[in-house]
Amino acid sequence: MVLSFIHYMTERRRVFLQRVGSTATGAGTISIAGCSGRGQSESSSTDPLRLAFQAPAETTDVNTWVGAREFVGGQNLNVTVDVFEGVDLAVQSVLAGEADVARGSVTAVASVIEAGRPFEFVVTPIRSTDYVLVTQPEIESLEDIVERDATIGMSAPTGLDAVQVAAAMFQAGAIDSVDELNYQRIGYSGARREAMVSGDIDVSPQHYAQWLDMRERDADLNNLLRFGETLDDWIQEVFMIPTEVVADRRQDVVSFIAAQLQGYRALYDGYGRYEQAVREYVPGGGPDDAILEPTYEFLTDIGIWPRNGDLRQANVDYMLGLSARVGLTDDRIPVDEPLNRGPLEAALTQLDDG
């Protein structure tokens, strides 16, 4: 059963994983100073824009790190990045005034918006999802998951992994309620991968690169579906910012979005550019080329990084509707409340003019 986000957030202590330094595994807060030049905007504040990321870099979200590390300087912007153990803690950091921007799922923060905290969604860093649904050999269909009361590994009760499994099950007509799913908290996808290979859980959504590795270690594991091909209106993540921050530091927000868009687009330059980012920002350097190269082909094929920031009303509408269906909110949140395309449109214009 998916628990209330607010209750869950208050029950958990803030877990600080790392402050990202000059390398992906270094210590100290990342702080990037901007510089001026043609086509660059004036920063509205000398204070850094403080970013709260919900997890260390992975093969799918290195675009956000490329944007935050390599392009903010060209936008005359300073940023810092803190990394947390889950979107709930990243959002808590923003609510506590310790950060300005959180990166995470729409559904995980839906109840905060429902409770009246004025977050706005300003850009989509990951449009689709590279996750696939991996199961033990005896689980051969979505119906089997319910009939066998299969244990489904997840990162958190409000985690995007748990929600997307429910979404696929709803869409297939395999369940009527999330109460029919047997979730077990295991941890991030790396921990779930080991639990699957060792047989401790029956089902787990895994990154595509992880699936390639798991298949080599246990050829009997099944891959029931690719979520990115199944959930057409899905938004994997958004950058969310309190309304007052958008109002008070609008130009900084616009410049931040512009830098992010540059990071998204850069990864389409070719596999070499992507590999460089993975080696630098993913802890441990990521998988070897035999896994990483087909992963890149898969990610670019589904267009996982939105070149123009996406954030379409239909996608946000779908995710907010899903949040109500899985029990994260009591009622359906109106889509026009958290959606703010204004800074994104300004960032696109800024890039075009540059």
Side-chain angles (χ1 to χ4, degrees), residues 116-337:
R117 303 308 292 262
F119 272 108
E120 295 182 356
F121 304 150
V122 297
V123 67
T124 304
I126 305 176
R127 162 66 181 89
S128 186
T129 171
D130 78 314
Y131 273 82
V132 298
L133 190 63
V134 181
T135 69
Q136 297 295 344
E138 64 273 13
I139 308 294
E140 299 180 342
S141 67
L142 298 181
E143 290 73 19
D144 281 348
I145 294 175
V146 180
E147 292 173 3
R148 293 175 176 271
D149 193 30
T151 301
I152 307 170
M154 63 175 183
S155 62
T158 57
L160 202 60
D161 43 22
V163 173
Q164 67 184 344
V165 170
M169 299 289 280
F170 278 129
Q171 186 167 298
I175 60 170
D176 295 317
S177 167
V178 291
D179 291 337
E180 299 175 59
L181 300 179
N182 179 15
Y183 285 137
Q184 180 176 331
R185 182 167 188 154
I186 299 296
Y188 289 128
S189 55
R192 298 198 307 272
R193 174 184 57 193
E194 298 308 314
M196 279 294 301
V197 172
S198 64
D200 292 334
I201 57 176
D202 303 314
V203 181
S204 179
Q206 298 289 156
H207 288 295
Y208 185 72
Q210 294 170 333
W211 157 245
L212 295 179
D213 174 69
M214 295 166 72
R215 185 178 60 184
E216 290 185 357
R217 297 167 62 185
D218 186 347
D220 291 331
L221 292 173
N222 292 323
N223 175 357
L224 293 190
L225 59 84
R226 296 180 175 187
F227 289 100
E229 296 175 349
T230 303
L231 305 175
D232 295 335
D233 291 322
W234 186 265
I235 297 178
Q236 183 80 349
E237 290 187 354
V238 293
F239 276 107
M240 57 198 82
I241 308 178
T243 299
E244 62 181 13
V245 175
V246 177
D248 295 343
R249 304 189 60 178
R250 181 178 174 81
Q251 185 52 60
D252 284 347
V253 172
V254 170
S255 296
F256 165 71
I257 294 172
Q260 284 293 304
L261 293 176
Q262 289 176 297
Y264 305 172
R265 296 173 182 180
L267 294 188
Y268 287 99
D269 289 346
Y271 173 69
R273 185 69 171 86
Y274 172 70
E275 181 191 18
Q276 177 187 14
V278 170
R279 302 302 180 219
E280 182 168 359
Y281 302 123
V282 174
D288 60 29
D289 287 338
I291 289 178
L292 193 61
E293 192 160 4
T295 296
Y296 178 73
E297 294 173 0
F298 174 80
L299 297 179
T300 52
D301 182 58
I302 64 175
I304 196 167
W305 308 300
R307 290 178 174 89
N308 292 321
D310 216 348
L311 200 67
R312 292 174 293 178
Q313 180 169 328
N315 305 131
V316 176
D317 187 63
Y318 170 79
M319 297 303 292
L320 292 176
L322 183 61
S323 70
R325 194 172 188 185
V326 301
L328 289 171
T329 57
D330 294 329
D331 298 305
R332 175 70 172 79
I333 300 173
V335 69
D336 58 345
E337 292 184 8

